[in-house]
Amino acid sequence: MEKRPTYKELQRQLAEARAQLENTEKLKDAFLANMSHEIRTPMNAIVGASELLRDDSLSKEDRNEFTKILSSSSKELLDLFNRILELSQLESGALEYNESEIEVHDLLVTLYSAYGQKINMSGKNLVLNYTEDLRDNKIFTDQKKLTKVLSYLLDNALKFTNSGEIDFGCAIQDRHNILFYVKDTGPGISDQQQANIFKKFTQVDNSYTREHSGAGLGLSISKELVEFLGGKLYIDSNLGDGSIFYFTIPFKFSESNLVLKEKIEAILKQNINEIYSSSNTRKNIAI
């Protein structure tokens, strides 16, 4: 016979449910306030630039400047809507897994080129590096979602790192997992802040006067996408010492690829920290 909960147990369960509901309400309020702020900022820029462009007396330089504002604000708004849509698809279970055989090297080179250009446009004194263990070898995964996760993490690193280096790449962790990472020399994140960093609509600084804009969705979407791919996302960071975001996904490759098999066995004879040392990254990734 099933044991019925006592009065005290029911009270405790009720209190926990109430606390969870209150926390959900706070998150909802924070989301609505944050969305209002994040949507209004680019919208105001779009409306203002559009009105100014109607002035026929504008110089060519001013017209180009307002056109740039119009374009960048439109992209910012589109990116926000895409993230909200992606989060909705993840939570509703509507996201589909599209596995294909991909060249990891090509993916990393594409990202290196794209973010090299972004760094140049930002005017920041940053060096971008990438390393890999899988040159000229292919793995099976969902390329679009893997690229999305790495892009979110690189966006985050670029946003919060004003000088120094950003490193990213991959390493074979074991026979069943491949590890990807993004490392920066930014301000770092405290242990207390790390506990909340992957929660939806949460940022290290949630105030309206914060230095960096954003809806607080990138890291939470990254975490869910990595889990969707069958892996886990981690952070290793200290205040003033930069951050490393790294994740593992299943290491799937063609069994007929004898060259890759031999390469895996050779790499697994090394310590994972030696791999990162040879990859120009510090030995502080906690595997």
Side-chain angles (χ1 to χ4, degrees), residues 76-93:
E76 184 180 341
L77 195 59
L78 180 61
D79 179 64
L80 175 60
F81 289 150
N82 284 337
R83 293 190 183 203
I84 295 172
L85 178 61
E86 195 161 31
L87 181 65
S88 174
Q89 289 177 324
L90 279 164
E91 295 195 333
S92 66

Side-chain angles (χ1 to χ4, degrees), residues 113-230:
S113 176
Y115 282 87
Q117 292 179 17
K118 286 189 177 184
I119 287 173
N120 290 334
M121 292 174 64
S122 73
K124 293 183 176 181
N125 183 26
L126 282 171
V127 176
L128 183 67
N129 305 306
Y130 83 93
T131 54
E132 59 176 309
D133 286 336
L134 293 174
R135 189 177 181 88
D136 302 324
N137 288 295
K138 299 179 181 180
I139 64 169
F140 288 95
T141 190
D142 189 319
Q143 180 171 356
K144 186 176 180 180
K145 294 175 183 60
L146 175 58
T147 304
K148 181 75 72 175
V149 174
L150 287 169
S151 296
Y152 279 147
L153 296 180
L154 284 166
D155 283 336
N156 209 55
L158 180 56
K159 181 192 292 186
F160 292 100
T161 309
N162 292 320
S163 62
E165 297 185 2
I166 295 176
D167 295 282
F168 73 102
C170 68
I172 297 171
Q173 187 181 33
D174 54 42
R175 292 179 180 84
H176 307 290
N177 296 284
I178 181 170
L179 181 147
F180 291 86
Y181 67 91
V182 174
K183 173 185 175 295
D184 64 60
T185 54
I189 305 169
S190 68
D191 291 342
Q192 183 179 2
Q193 292 165 335
Q194 288 178 40
N196 299 314
I197 199 71
F198 293 116
K199 292 181 180 178
K200 300 177 186 69
F201 321 120
T202 301
Q203 293 187 331
V204 171
D205 180 5
N206 272 321
S207 68
Y208 289 117
T209 58
R210 62 182 182 266
E211 180 181 355
H212 303 284
S213 64
L217 292 174
L219 289 178
S220 61
I221 292 175
S222 295
K223 179 177 181 293
E224 294 201 32
L225 282 174
V226 168
E227 291 174 353
F228 183 81
L229 293 173

Side-chain angles (χ1 to χ4, degrees), residues 2-53:
E2 186 178 351
K3 184 181 178 181
R4 293 183 178 180
T6 64
Y7 179 70
K8 285 187 176 181
E9 289 174 336
L10 287 173
Q11 278 188 316
R12 179 182 56 78
Q13 292 173 7
L14 182 61
E16 289 175 353
R18 186 182 292 115
Q20 187 174 3
L21 181 61
E22 289 174 355
N23 186 52
T24 302
E25 286 296 315
K26 287 179 182 178
L27 279 174
K28 184 188 74 174
D29 292 342
F31 168 69
L32 292 174
N34 203 12
M35 284 302 99
S36 175
H37 174 73
E38 294 302 327
I39 291 173
R40 281 180 182 178
T41 301
M43 278 301 298
N44 286 336
I46 290 169
V47 172
S50 300
E51 288 294 326
L52 290 167
L53 282 170

Side-chain angles (χ1 to χ4, degrees), residues 95-113:
L95 211 60
E96 295 182 355
Y97 182 74
N98 299 305
E99 185 176 87
S100 62
E101 192 173 29
I102 70 167
E103 286 269 10
V104 177
H105 173 72
D106 291 348
L107 187 153
L108 296 180
V109 168
T110 300
L111 288 170
Y112 180 79
S113 176

